[in-house]
Amino acid sequence: MEDEQFEDQDGLDDERDERRNLFRYVTADHSTDYLAIMDLFTQTLLTDLSAAEVSEALAKGGIDLSPESAEERCGSLVRWKNLMPAARDPRVPTVAALRHTRARFQITRLGGTVHREVTKVLHLRDGAREVARELLGSMAVLLARILRQASQPRSLDAEALAADVTTVFTNQAYFTDSIRDFYAYLSSILVRYDLAGEEYASFKGLLLEYVHLIDTDVSRHSPAVLRCLEDLQPVLHRVLAALDSLPGLTSADGAPVERLPGRQAGDWEQLRSWYRGGDGGISGPAQLRSAAESALAQLLANARRMLAPGGTGGARRSDLLHLAGLFAQASVEEANRGFSAAFGAYSARHVGFGPEEADSRSTASTSWWDAAPVDVPVSLRERGDRTARGRASRVPDPGMDIARLQEEAARELAARRAAGSELAAAHELNGVRLTPAARDLLLELVSSALARGKSLTEAVHAEDFDLDVAVEVAPSGSDTVITSHDGDTTFAHLALTASVAGTTRVDGATGSEDNQSPGPGTTRQPPSAAGDVQ
């Protein structure tokens, strides 16, 4: 038994070595020729070419390769299992042509698969790839349709069922591939220490908006997909039986045939495990949420680094690229001098600091092996920050701020007094046009008057002695309309009269002086002897 196990293991190792040889043409010498030859064999189906035909086709594409060299390259690809000899009776006019035409080649299945993936990788861009998030919603719809068909075995359409099953697994594979590519791109960006400025701002928008959009779609559709997969478990045998009843592919030599996904119970179990998790594993939606949280945490860490006082605050990538360009064009001597100047890589010498030197015996010629160590501040030693720390900042002089505030208060008071004078000169206010400042002052006085009056059955009075203006508010059968350039103000069923503050008004009914108490914010003072009516 042990000998059989060792033989099986040796067989697996040999097969893996052969599979690795399939990729050798990508990095081998003359890889450009190999890639062009593989392109020829994968352009159409069932292509078989001779070395002469390969040479002629490459010449049309601008690659000069003799028939002998083309046959040598094709022979190497045959040894690596990318190509295989094709048996075909050639019809040629001469014996010399027969020599180059007898050996014909065609591509193998694994060789074609490898070359398609290689071509895809060579043509991929380094940027982000959109996630096919819209496939989740369609998967939920397709699974619900598969469940309805499986629940009605008498009317089950095997062909339509097979199309839905293949679409479900194809969508799942494409969705997971696009998710892996997107988060791989995020990882390649997040590890960059020089991420700053506009690049950081654009990446922040990508992370906060697009990742949130993906997480929202996954959170909305994955429960529906999982629920359909759970409901499909009791009738899954009907689905598999219907798929097995369709015509399929069988190998003539008895070798196993790779079936389409969804034709075996294990495929459905793997699909369900991706959404549900199992055997101690984390579900796919949980992995997406964890990856999004990790990316956001790294983004915040980069933000803290840029804002920290001891951090670099910005990227030095452009400076380093410029320096690398100078090194590429400089001679060896100039490169050594430039490196020393850029990074301070000079020979270690002791520099004297004058009378304050702790050990004045150390001079510029003293070796640093023998000299006493020099104290380096912690911020410079650990963070490379030369900013002086611990000093008290200067107390700012508030004189200019006080003068500015006083000027602003004086301008505001002058504007309010002008508004008060305008309002007092208007007297009867119905139909009067006022400036917005005078109109706002009128609204304040009317509000103050109405707040003091318990009921609006008699006139109420409000005045402001600081602005020298007073307003009387009385009930009326008509409205008072005040116009301004920014709109009209209507006081419904009120009559408004403005006057100079401090004048005494006599009530028409009783002849008594109106001694209404001042409202909030209104300053009342005793009327002066001059100019007052008693």
Side-chain angles (χ1 to χ4, degrees), residues 15 17 25 38 127 130 183 215 239 245 289 327 361 402 446 454:
E15 184 178 357
D17 290 339
Y25 76 98
M38 292 297 292
E130 287 188 345
Y183 277 95
D215 185 66
V239 176
S245 65
R289 287 191 290 270
F327 282 155
R361 293 173 298 176
I402 293 175
V446 171
K454 296 182 179 179

Side-chain angles (χ1 to χ4, degrees), residues 129-132 173-183:
R129 175 189 176 187
E130 287 188 345
V131 177
Y174 191 84
F175 173 73
T176 53
D177 289 344
S178 61
I179 280 287
R180 293 191 189 99
D181 290 347
F182 177 74
Y183 277 95

Side-chain angles (χ1 to χ4, degrees), residues 104-380:
R104 303 185 68 85
F105 309 93
Q106 65 184 38
I107 198 164
T108 62
R109 172 179 176 270
L110 293 178
T113 303
V114 168
H115 188 68
R116 285 193 297 272
E117 295 298 324
V118 168
T119 304
K120 179 180 177 182
V121 171
L122 292 177
H123 289 83
L124 278 179
R125 297 180 179 179
D126 292 335
R129 175 189 176 187
E130 287 188 345
V131 177
R133 54 185 182 83
E134 63 275 2
L135 295 180
L136 287 176
S138 65
M139 285 179 59
V141 175
L142 290 172
L143 287 172
R145 190 161 63 193
I146 292 172
L147 181 61
R148 287 195 302 269
Q149 293 188 50
S151 302
Q152 301 174 359
R154 294 184 178 180
S155 60
L156 191 146
D157 186 353
E159 291 289 347
L161 181 66
D164 291 341
V165 170
T166 303
T167 304
V168 165
F169 281 88
T170 302
N171 290 351
Q172 177 66 20
Y174 191 84
F175 173 73
T176 53
D177 289 344
S178 61
I179 280 287
R180 293 191 189 99
D181 290 347
F182 177 74
Y183 277 95
Y185 168 75
L186 285 187
S187 177
S188 65
I189 296 296
L190 287 172
V191 297
R192 284 179 46 188
Y193 188 78
D194 61 339
L195 189 65
E198 295 182 359
E199 192 175 11
Y200 175 83
S202 62
F203 181 70
K204 179 181 66 174
L206 167 70
L207 185 61
L208 296 181
E209 296 176 8
Y210 198 71
V211 172
H212 175 69
L213 184 63
I214 295 171
D215 185 66
T216 302
D217 287 343
V218 172
S219 301
R220 182 170 69 251
H221 296 300
S222 58
V225 174
L226 180 59
R227 184 168 57 253
C228 291
L229 291 173
E230 295 287 354
D231 296 341
L232 197 58
Q233 284 300 112
V235 294
L236 184 60
H237 63 282
R238 298 178 184 173
V239 176
L240 297 178
L243 297 177
D244 290 339
S245 65
L246 295 174
L249 178 65
T250 56
S251 178
D253 56 357
V257 176
E258 183 178 351
R259 303 194 65 188
L260 291 174
R263 270 60 178 175
Q264 298 177 358
D267 299 336
W268 291 92
E269 182 61 30
Q270 291 179 3
L271 181 61
R272 190 158 57 99
S273 298
W274 193 91
Y275 287 94
R276 184 189 61 180
D279 299 333
I282 305 176
S283 66
Q287 292 181 18
L288 293 180
R289 287 191 290 270
S290 176
E293 293 173 358
S294 176
L296 183 59
Q298 184 60 40
L299 185 71
L300 295 177
N302 286 339
R304 286 195 297 268
R305 172 185 58 80
M306 290 188 295
L307 297 176
T312 59
R316 301 299 301 273
R317 184 185 184 190
S318 59
D319 298 337
L320 294 175
L321 289 176
H322 176 67
L323 185 61
L326 296 179
F327 282 155
Q329 300 174 3
S331 62
V332 176
E333 182 180 354
E334 292 174 344
N336 291 332
R337 292 175 56 192
F339 184 86
S340 300
F343 298 100
Y346 298 101
S347 57
R349 302 288 298 274
H350 183 87
V351 181
F353 291 100
E356 298 179 359
E357 182 72 33
D359 189 0
S360 57
R361 293 173 298 176
S362 298
T363 63
S365 59
T366 304
S367 171
W368 62 273
W369 284 104
D370 304 325
V374 178
D375 248 349
V376 180
V378 176
S379 60
L380 180 60

Side-chain angles (χ1 to χ4, degrees), residues 61-122:
I63 299 178
D64 187 12
L65 192 67
S66 64
E68 291 78 9
S69 300
E71 187 171 0
E72 180 183 355
R73 305 284 192 271
C74 292
S76 300
L77 291 171
V78 169
R79 289 195 305 272
W80 297 331
K81 306 297 183 182
N82 299 98
L83 298 180
M84 64 180 180
R88 179 178 176 185
D89 295 331
R91 294 182 180 181
V92 292
T94 62
V95 176
L98 176 64
R99 177 174 172 270
H100 298 295
T101 310
R102 181 176 299 172
R104 303 185 68 85
F105 309 93
Q106 65 184 38
I107 198 164
T108 62
R109 172 179 176 270
L110 293 178
T113 303
V114 168
H115 188 68
R116 285 193 297 272
E117 295 298 324
V118 168
T119 304
K120 179 180 177 182
V121 171
L122 292 177

